[in-house]
Amino acid sequence: MTMTDVAPEEARQLSEPVIRTTGGRVRGQREHGLAVFRGIPFAQPPVGPARFAAPRPVTGWDGIRDALSYGPPVPQETSFAGRTGSLPTPTSDDWLTLNVWTADPEARRPVLVWIYGGAYKLGFSGSPGHDLHRIARDGDVVVVSFNYRVGVEGFAHIDGAPANRGLLDQVAALEWVRENIAAFGGDPDLVTVCGESAGAGSIAALLAVPRASGLFHRAILQSMPGVYLSDALAADIGAAIAGEIGLRPTVADLSGVDPWQLPAAGTAVSSAMIDHVDRWGSLAHSITLFAPVVDGAVMTRSPWQALTEGAGRDVELIIGHNRDECRLFIALSGQLGTVDNDLAARTLRAFAPAPDGENAYRTAYPDANPDRLFELVQNDWLFRMPALHLAEAQVAGGGRAHMYELTWRTPGYNGVLGACHGVDGPLLRGTFGDQLGPMLLGTQPPDTVATLATRIRTTWGRFAATGEPGWPTYDPERRLVQIIDDDWPVLPYPEETSRRLWQQHVFDALPLHD
């Protein structure tokens, strides 16, 4: 029988790929030379009795389920200043779904699992900028992305609920990969997790989550934020969020609130974080209330402690940051070029390492004006030094880490953002015209952008396959890192002045100041 001998609907079914998963059979579609599956459930919807619970195994289905469109976004803030585009209108509460791009379901390729960022309070695997077919194609990998709970649903401290529900969703998705990815042409023994911003912070946290052990073998952490909360601090924040709507931070009280209405309480507390500075310390100066919690049960210790003690010894890492990380946030807040000496001094006192960080920065950077000092200390506290210390912790624990710094200056936003936070995401995904792409790369990116983006994807793919990205491992003596720019030199760590300022600092979960 040929394709011309069957009815159109039957022909469609024969031409579109069908895969059997542990939940049932799914039908995808052909795009860009790949088989693509979208919206596959990996856990039950966390609503009703499952609200604020750990993810529960998916309920199976009969017949063939179409996997042609992304699942709905998880409840989250919709007014964040850095968001571009709009979320689709939720059509169901089946939030915990994943997506797969594969060239050949009969092959055995390395697997790259993408974890989106968004300050732990927003994000959606179906966002226009998160089409990952170019990574699958150029990296020669099977690519998986998924939704996980964010904000109050995923990370708020709620009495009667497990901590780090967003991380537990990630673990459940990785367990699905272990059990199902071979049917899609992926190698379950060669899984690399890759994430940017809060996605990278999640990966670092997963290294300190015992249940995640063995679920991935390599990891790529792009611009990992160094914010993790102590259990006491998370509880205080949870009480403030629930109090905003006159409730207690308990499952009994909060489970009656519409999941899409609850983020507004978090937004209200976020807008007045500085009022809590006496109790929340440096966190009160940051942009989000939410982060993984070192609760002693799900996440047993900080990432730096976990790696120092050998938790990542069998996981090969790429860890990196952008040179001008916080300039994006400074620009979005309208502060770029407006910082006076008083604001710079207060910011230095809030973030610089003890005992006298303000004077240490002024001495180390004698030519820096208030704007530069304001940016430098935030770059170092939030992104650059946490990443450097994580690489050093990995080496101290007997593991391997390759480190990079992205210095490519984005032409977007009138060319003032430099190598800012978030620019690596559109570069890796090749989505220059969607979501953050136009703002960060400009409406007409130069021709060199495509070349740089392709090289990043092929490098990440090579690392996923071999563990070797093409530059030396990091060690505390030579401190060699890969510079990612139009050229790719390997140099000693470029931020040596800041490294020295922070070399005695110990990164850990942020405490509650009582």
Side-chain angles (χ1 to χ4, degrees):
M1 181 178 68
T2 67
M3 292 295 289
T4 58
D5 299 322
V6 298
E9 177 60 20
E10 187 178 354
R12 180 185 73 85
Q13 294 179 4
L14 289 172
S15 65
E16 293 175 343
V18 175
I19 300 292
R20 181 177 295 279
T21 73
T22 51
R25 289 182 294 169
V26 294
R27 177 188 290 117
Q29 57 194 336
R30 302 282 179 182
E31 299 176 10
H32 308 290
L34 303 170
V36 183
F37 303 80
R38 296 184 174 93
I40 303 173
F42 66 86
Q44 294 182 31
V47 297
R51 183 86 180 272
F52 304 122
R56 300 180 179 182
V58 68
T59 302
W61 57 88
D62 297 324
I64 300 175
R65 178 180 178 131
D66 280 337
L68 307 178
S69 58
Y70 294 108
V74 298
Q76 59 191 270
E77 293 185 24
T78 57
S79 59
F80 183 63
R83 185 195 292 280
T84 59
S86 59
L87 288 171
T89 301
T91 55
S92 76
D93 52 21
D94 206 0
W95 308 324
L96 300 183
T97 62
L98 53 74
N99 321 292
V100 183
W101 290 260
T102 179
D104 181 4
E106 302 299 322
R108 278 293 178 273
R109 282 181 167 84
V111 181
L112 188 143
V113 180
W114 172 255
I115 304 178
Y116 56 72
Y120 304 106
K121 63 182 179 180
L122 58 139
F124 173 42
S125 67
S127 295
H130 287 260
D131 182 349
L132 306 181
H133 78 269
R134 295 175 184 84
I135 301 177
R137 181 193 64 202
D138 295 343
D140 196 25
V141 290
V142 176
V143 176
V144 178
S145 67
F146 58 84
N147 288 347
Y148 62 94
R149 283 172 285 181
V150 296
V152 177
E153 299 291 325
F155 290 97
H157 187 291
I158 299 173
D159 293 339
N164 299 305
R165 297 171 298 281
L167 294 182
L168 292 175
D169 293 345
Q170 296 172 19
V171 170
L174 290 168
E175 289 173 339
W176 185 97
V177 169
R178 180 185 61 194
E179 296 163 5
N180 292 279
I181 204 63
F184 294 82
D187 187 343
D189 295 320
L190 208 57
V191 175
T192 297
V193 287
C194 178
E196 185 261 344
S197 194
S202 294
I203 293 170
L206 289 174
L207 290 166
V209 173
R211 184 175 162 186
S213 179
L215 293 177
F216 55 94
H217 313 92
R218 293 176 182 133
I220 303 170
L221 295 84
Q222 303 174 200
S223 297
M224 176 199 85
V227 175
Y228 300 89
L229 308 183
S230 66
D231 199 49
L233 177 56
D236 207 60
I237 293 170
I241 293 171
E244 185 67 29
I245 49 178
L247 298 175
R248 299 169 301 167
T250 66
V251 170
D253 278 23
L254 296 179
S255 60
V257 182
D258 185 299
W260 279 95
Q261 298 301 318
L262 199 49
T267 302
V269 176
S270 292
S271 66
M273 285 174 68
I274 199 65
D275 295 341
H276 301 270
V277 67
D278 288 344
R279 294 175 64 79
W280 298 354
S282 53
L283 181 73
H285 297 272
S286 67
I287 63 171
T288 182
L289 292 168
F290 304 106
V293 181
V294 181
D295 65 309
V298 175
M299 186 177 175
T300 56
R301 51 207 161 151
S302 76
W304 302 277
Q305 182 183 358
L307 291 192
T308 299
E309 295 174 357
R313 187 176 296 125
D314 298 325
V315 181
E316 296 168 307
L317 304 184
I318 289 178
I319 305 169
H321 59 69
N322 303 347
R323 182 185 56 207
D324 310 309
E325 292 276 8
C326 288
R327 199 171 300 175
L328 173 66
F329 309 124
I330 297 169
L332 291 175
S333 68
Q335 294 175 301
L336 197 64
T338 69
V339 177
D340 59 22
N341 195 56
D342 179 62
L343 178 56
R346 285 187 280 118
T347 305
L348 286 166
R349 290 193 292 270
F351 294 120
D356 188 2
E358 179 185 357
N359 285 333
Y361 261 85
R362 293 185 185 279
T363 300
Y365 292 99
D367 299 325
N369 63 21
D371 279 291
R372 181 64 176 147
L373 290 169
F374 179 75
E375 179 187 337
L376 273 170
V377 73
Q378 293 184 78
N379 289 342
D380 290 341
W381 176 81
L382 187 53
F383 293 110
R384 302 196 309 186
M385 296 304 108
L388 176 66
H389 282 224
L390 196 72
E392 292 177 343
Q394 172 73 341
V395 175
R400 287 162 47 91
H402 297 80
M403 193 166 186
Y404 74 85
E405 180 178 66
L406 188 147
T407 61
W408 184 79
R409 295 177 60 86
T410 174
Y413 214 82
N414 297 319
V416 300
L417 295 181
C420 69
H421 187 71
V423 71
D424 49 319
L427 287 174
L428 173 64
R429 298 186 296 268
T431 49
F432 306 151
D434 298 311
Q435 209 175 21
L436 285 176
M439 182 177 76
L440 296 180
L441 303 177
T443 54
Q444 292 184 319
D447 294 340
T448 55
V449 171
T451 301
L452 176 62
T454 300
R455 184 167 182 179
I456 293 173
R457 289 192 291 273
T458 56
T459 300
W460 276 199
R462 180 169 60 246
F463 175 75
T466 68
E468 295 292 343
W471 69 87
T473 56
Y474 182 87
D475 68 78
E477 285 73 39
R478 297 184 302 165
R479 293 191 288 276
L480 295 179
V481 304
Q482 176 70 68
I483 304 301
I484 296 180
D485 210 318
D486 289 330
D487 296 320
W488 284 51
V490 174
L491 300 173
Y493 183 63
E495 313 305 335
E496 176 64 13
T497 300
S498 291
R499 186 195 72 80
R500 289 181 178 275
L501 288 172
W502 289 81
Q503 61 184 337
Q504 301 303 321
H505 182 77
V506 177
F507 283 95
D508 204 348
L510 298 179
L512 176 68
H513 300 276
D514 189 357

